[in-house]
Every structure is written in C-alpha cells, then in structure tokens.
Amino acid sequence: MRVTGPDAGGALVYVARLQPGAEVVHRLDAGRAAQVYLVEGAASLDRDDVATGDAAEVTDQLELVIRAWQTSELVLVDVPVTPPTAPQPGEGLPLTSRPGPAASGS
C-alpha cells in the first residue's frame, strides 16, 4: 500500500506484510531517505538484522533490500532530505543580559 496526500510534504508511506523468505527492494531517488519501522517479525535491512519494534533510517544510498526471516509487517516512509539550514539572524537562543557588579557608592 502507498499512501500520499497534499499535507505529506513529499513523503511516501508504504505498508507491507512479507512472508518468510520474501525479498523486496526499495529504490531511493537522489535527495531522498527511508525511515523503516518493523511492526512485527524478523527481517534484515540490507545486511542488518532487525526484530519487532526496531527502526532504522537509511540515507546516502540508492536502494534498500529488505528480506523477511519470519512473517513480517513493516512501515517504510520515503522522505525528502533537506540540507540543514544555518540559523537566520534573530533565530537561535535568545540573548539575555545579566546585571553587572553593583556600583558601590561612598
């Protein structure tokens, strides 16, 4: 299943149920990343084994190979990657002033 919507910000959501031994390849376009959550089961993401409740973020690669070791349900969110932006003037931590040493009068 693929879910999209006007407020998704360019995100694509995939939900899959894989049988043991099933393998799928998710291709990532340039400037995209995948966030994967294994809802149930046991699988591998590329060569890394994951189990129920595990999550991963995949960046800087063109595809992700998912192989189910057990019947597995997963959610994959394909999102655009935006480079970090530098804070604009006035953004960031607010500046505060501290009172200086009290002037002593004689």
Side-chain angles (χ1 to χ4, degrees), residues 56-77:
E57 183 172 38
V58 179
T59 58
D60 300 323
Q61 62 188 64
L62 298 176
E63 65 181 26
L64 170 65
V65 178
I66 303 168
R67 173 174 283 161
W69 302 119
Q70 300 173 356
T71 301
S72 299
E73 294 183 20
L74 62 98
V75 176
L76 184 147
V77 183

Side-chain angles (χ1 to χ4, degrees), residues 8-78:
L12 303 170
V13 180
Y14 299 90
V15 178
R17 181 176 176 87
L18 304 175
Q19 297 304 313
E23 181 176 287
V24 294
V25 177
H26 179 75
R27 289 185 172 69
L28 293 161
D29 291 334
R32 310 273 309 171
Q35 298 169 343
V36 185
Y37 177 69
L38 190 64
V39 177
E40 185 177 325
S44 64
L45 305 178
D46 289 329
R47 293 189 177 106
D48 295 317
D49 289 337
V50 292
T52 299
D54 287 344
E57 183 172 38
V58 179
T59 58
D60 300 323
Q61 62 188 64
L62 298 176
E63 65 181 26
L64 170 65
V65 178
I66 303 168
R67 173 174 283 161
W69 302 119
Q70 300 173 356
T71 301
S72 299
E73 294 183 20
L74 62 98
V75 176
L76 184 147
V77 183
D78 184 315

